[in-house]
Structure formats: C-alpha cells, structure tokens
Amino acid sequence: MKPRHLLAVLSLLPLLHACGSTPESFAAQIQQAFESGDMDRVLALSAIDDAPADLRFFLLDQVRECGEATTTCTAQAEPLDDKFKQSLGELGAQGLESPQMPEGLIVLTAKEADGKGSGKLKMPYAKVGGQYRLISQRYTAAKLAELRATTNQQLLDQMLAAGIYDMAAGERRTDWKDTATALPADGGEPGQMLVKTSTALYAAAQAGDPDAAAASGNDFAKLMLSATDFSGKPVALDVRKAKLRTQALRFLHDVKIGGGWQRGDEAVLLVDAKNGAGWIERGALFLSKRDEGWGVAGKQTISYPQ
C-alpha cells in the first residue's frame, strides 16, 4: 500500500501521540523511527493498545514503507486544524472516542524517489504517563455493547441485503441464498479449507516465516509474500518479513465455522475467529473457488476486544 492510499484511509481513523520533551523533539523521534522502518520503536512511541487491528495495520504498514530505500518520510509537529477536529466529531457519531484529548498533530510526509507518489499522514498526539505519545481512537462502551450484541445472522442478513455480485448478470443479487445449498456445520469443503489455510498462515506469522505463509494456501499471502515480485525479481527476505508482520494483523486464526451455504463456486460461511490483534472477529465470509482451492473474496464482520 502506497502513502497516498494510506492518507485516504487514515484520515478516517485519527491516530496517534508522541514521546519527547517538546512536540518538535517528539516529531524528530517519530521521523527517525519511521525512516528506519523500526516498527517496535514506533509502537513504543504510541498508545494504541485499544485501537482496532486495521488501524494498527495501516500505521505499521506506513512504517514499513518509510523504511524502504525508495521512500523518504519527514515529520513535523503542527496544531490541530479544523478539518481534523471535524473528523473527530464524525468518528464520535460512529462510536469512537479519544482516551486523551489530542494536543496537536504529527504530520508525516512521505515521498517516493520516482516522484510518482506522495502523501501526508496526520497523527494526533498527547501526553500519556508524562510522555508524548501518538494516540488513537477506541470504541465507546455503548459501541462495544452494540457490537457484542450483534449476531452473526444479522451480519449475514446485512451481506445478503447489500447483494452479492453476479458476474454473469453483471449486477448484485439479493437472492443469492435462495438458490444456494445449505452446508454442514463444519462448512463442508470451503469451511474445511478455510480452517486449514488460516491455521497454517497463523503458524507462519507466529514464526515470522514468509515462505511458509506464501505456501499456506491463502491466495492473498501467496501474492503479497512471494519470493519474487510481479516482474520476477527477487524480494529481500527482510522486506518479506516486514510485510508478513503488518499483514498478520489482518489474518484470522482460531477459526470456528457455524455452517454456511454454497452456490456453485461461491460460498458464504458464518465464522467466529480472532484477528492478528487478538480481538474477536466474527460474521459472514464470502468465499470463491479458484484453481488452488477456496479463498475469501468478501466479508461482513465485526471485531472487538475479548
């Protein structure tokens, strides 16, 4: 994911806070940590333990990109602007709150050497335990109660109501389940494949082994973590390990199937699992059958802390 894309995503999820005696010195620490690709250092300069897995992924994946030789990242401290303040209000309406009041923003500017990509990432900071840290949003108590009360059946209904795209018809169909066949409790072939690949992928992520991850049977992992890039050039092992670390936040593990439906080479499964942040993630997964087996092609899930 390139910096310009991260800007679009993270502008919806106000992030972080800083460590240092002044905002300017904190910004310098953030810049050094990002430029060196030091994820552990960035996490030490952050207070984001209550942040959803996707937000943590986007932060660490930007650290990974800034650490690449083709990208230059600079950071500076700036006051909160009106647009950011407005975004905080919008997030509040979505059930997100700031544990600490942001004192300002660390603005990270990323530029690619070829000049084709650039972007700015605005990260809120505040003092936590007497030190500047990047801070994040968290779910309110009311939002957490709402998430926990939402059933997998309700999530399935939301997926079906939105429609499942029919390639032959060239449109979304809301009657997909009407012509599908119910699967057994373990999800049949697609369910068994999902459990097998997610177990192998989790083991690979825990071991920090991109080769094992690429061979897990997960199509996305195979694409992202291959030993060669799209042009066939070798990808350095440390680069692949960094990608695995960030992507692991989004992988599901401890997957339990609660039945499902199949229609030709498509299937919908009800699942209960955990994501890479250790949060519960559950709901409906849409799978499609490819040459090498079944892969997740869409989802209607929710996640929350255990």
Side-chain angles (χ1 to χ4, degrees):
M1 179 172 291
K2 304 313 290 179
R4 54 183 176 274
H5 190 186
L6 280 173
L7 174 63
V9 176
L10 285 175
S11 64
L12 302 177
L13 293 171
L15 251 177
L16 307 144
H17 146 148
C19 160
S21 58
T22 67
E24 290 72 24
S25 63
F26 179 66
Q29 292 179 57
I30 290 294
Q31 178 173 319
Q32 193 280 328
F34 271 80
E35 272 282 279
S36 60
D38 191 339
M39 298 183 198
D40 291 325
R41 180 57 176 159
V42 170
L43 289 175
L45 294 170
S46 308
I48 59 170
D49 289 346
D50 294 329
D54 276 348
L55 191 150
R56 303 185 208 190
F57 162 76
F58 289 124
L59 171 65
L60 293 186
D61 208 50
Q62 181 64 79
V63 179
R64 178 190 63 77
E65 289 205 6
C66 284
E68 295 181 353
T70 56
T71 304
T72 299
C73 294
T74 57
Q76 65 181 44
E78 295 186 4
L80 295 175
D81 57 34
D82 291 339
K83 185 175 181 179
F84 191 85
K85 291 176 183 178
Q86 180 180 351
S87 73
L88 290 177
E90 293 169 351
L91 288 169
Q94 299 173 32
L96 291 164
E97 64 182 3
S98 297
Q100 302 86 13
M101 176 58 67
E103 295 182 21
L105 300 172
I106 298 298
V107 179
L108 184 80
T109 301
K111 294 183 179 180
E112 295 180 39
D114 59 11
K116 294 181 179 179
S118 65
K120 288 186 177 181
L121 176 62
K122 295 182 178 181
M123 305 178 289
Y125 70 88
K127 278 194 173 180
V128 180
Q131 297 290 329
Y132 282 119
R133 293 286 184 272
L134 298 171
I135 57 171
S136 69
Q137 297 285 300
R138 68 180 180 190
Y139 288 126
T140 64
K143 183 63 176 181
L144 284 173
E146 175 190 324
L147 291 171
R148 292 188 170 104
T150 302
T151 67
N152 283 4
Q153 180 62 49
Q154 289 173 318
L155 293 167
L156 170 65
D157 292 342
Q158 291 173 20
M159 172 184 279
L160 296 174
I164 292 178
Y165 187 76
D166 186 323
M167 293 186 66
E171 61 183 6
R172 287 186 172 275
R173 296 184 55 173
T174 58
D175 62 345
W176 183 92
K177 187 168 172 286
D178 296 343
T179 54
T181 301
L183 292 168
D186 67 354
E189 180 185 310
Q192 293 164 22
M193 176 67 76
L194 177 65
V195 171
K196 179 181 178 180
T197 57
S198 63
T199 299
L201 187 55
Y202 180 63
Q206 291 295 100
D209 186 344
D211 288 323
S216 66
N218 182 292
D219 287 347
F220 180 74
K222 181 179 180 180
L223 177 68
M224 289 294 298
L225 303 170
S226 173
T228 57
D229 63 17
F230 297 116
S231 64
K233 295 180 180 178
V235 179
L237 182 59
D238 61 339
V239 172
R240 297 169 65 213
K241 285 185 174 181
K243 286 184 178 180
L244 176 58
R245 178 173 179 180
T246 61
Q247 292 294 338
L249 284 164
R250 312 174 91 181
F251 296 149
L252 298 182
H253 62 93
D254 293 351
V255 176
K256 295 178 177 60
I257 309 297
W261 298 263
Q262 183 176 345
R263 180 176 179 272
D265 290 339
E266 299 174 341
V268 171
L269 300 175
L270 297 181
V271 302
D272 286 87
K274 294 178 183 176
N275 61 32
W279 286 24
I280 291 170
E281 185 162 342
R282 59 180 179 80
L285 297 184
F286 177 73
L287 287 78
S288 61
K289 192 172 186 179
R290 305 183 180 97
D291 293 339
E292 298 182 12
W294 292 86
V296 177
K299 65 180 183 177
Q300 186 75 32
T301 61
I302 55 174
S303 65
Y304 48 82
Q306 298 187 64

